[in-house]
Amino acid sequence: MQYNDYPLYDVQKVSSIREMIELAVRDAGENIAYKFKENDTVRQVTFREFADTVYSLGAFLKKENLSDKHIACIGINSYNWIVTYMTALRGEGVFVPIDKDLPEDDIIHLICDSESEVIFYSGKFEEFLSRNKDRLNRIRYFIGFDRKENDGRFLKINTEKNRVSVKN
């Protein structure tokens, strides 16, 4: 097969994100999927480890009856953002990405109008979300990528050791 005189690779067709993740684990499970800086070290995550993390976050969302709800996410691009995104796509819910550069009132408006019941966020938005939590009364959990401890509806997420730990 060719496109503009360039050969195209034969690739297996996939019908869903769920299938894509399963194929990645089957075909390249121990290969590095992600490499990123965490604190002062470089962390490497294999396709199998990534899948385990996605499954673990999915289990938490299912346990909390959130897997088929609208799941908002705001923050900088990060491994945790990708895990949240892929978990939402793999599940039955709707992923609601929110532009981190929007004005505050627009962010509140989007969260409310999206009917999201959980929001994942990076540390930059901790104070903003805390200050506006009463305006976001549909949100059951605010899950911070950079939180150090849980506090009511504000929870921390831990993806170390390729397991998601969200405690409420």
Side-chain angles (χ1 to χ4, degrees):
M1 201 175 220
Q2 300 246 140
Y3 177 77
N4 288 342
D5 296 325
Y6 295 101
L8 297 178
Y9 295 100
D10 287 327
V11 294
Q12 185 170 350
K13 294 187 191 264
V14 295
S15 60
S16 67
I17 294 296
R18 181 182 308 259
E19 182 183 9
M20 183 186 74
I21 292 171
E22 289 169 2
L23 288 172
V25 171
R26 184 193 76 195
D27 296 343
E30 300 312 312
N31 293 348
I32 301 300
Y34 296 99
K35 189 185 287 192
F36 55 96
K37 191 171 183 181
E38 188 173 69
N39 300 319
D40 289 331
T41 61
V42 175
R43 182 171 166 199
Q44 296 183 35
V45 179
T46 66
F47 284 98
R48 184 173 316 285
E49 291 168 337
F50 175 72
D52 288 346
T53 306
V54 168
Y55 300 157
S56 183
L57 180 56
F60 166 78
L61 293 173
K62 186 133 185 104
K63 178 179 140 281
E64 295 297 324
N65 296 314
L66 292 166
S67 62
D68 62 346
K69 306 298 186 213
H70 292 200
I71 300 165
C73 189
I74 187 168
I76 60 170
N77 290 338
S78 68
Y79 178 70
N80 286 329
W81 199 100
I82 295 167
V83 167
T84 303
Y85 176 66
M86 295 302 278
T87 301
L89 292 183
R90 186 181 172 277
E92 301 164 352
V94 175
F95 185 74
V96 181
I98 301 188
D99 186 339
K100 66 184 177 358
D101 296 321
L102 286 173
E104 289 187 356
D105 284 340
D106 290 349
I107 292 171
I108 296 293
H109 177 77
L110 282 173
I111 295 169
C112 290
D113 278 5
S114 73
E115 299 180 354
S116 293
E117 294 189 30
V118 61
I119 184 166
F120 291 81
Y121 64 92
S122 59
K124 173 183 174 186
F125 295 94
E126 176 83 26
E127 188 275 328
F128 164 72
L129 292 169
S130 181
R131 183 170 25 93
N132 288 286
K133 68 182 177 214
D134 292 336
R135 294 174 64 191
L136 301 168
N137 56 0
R138 181 183 285 272
I139 299 291
R140 288 177 37 204
Y141 296 118
F142 299 83
I143 302 177
F145 297 144
D146 305 310
R147 280 190 68 82
K148 302 296 182 219
E149 58 187 35
N150 296 327
D151 182 17
R153 291 168 42 204
F154 284 79
L155 308 177
K156 67 179 179 174
I157 185 171
N158 180 1
T159 58
E160 292 177 19
K161 298 182 183 168
N162 310 308
R163 293 280 182 228
V164 172
S165 171
V166 181
K167 301 223 188 311
N168 54 355

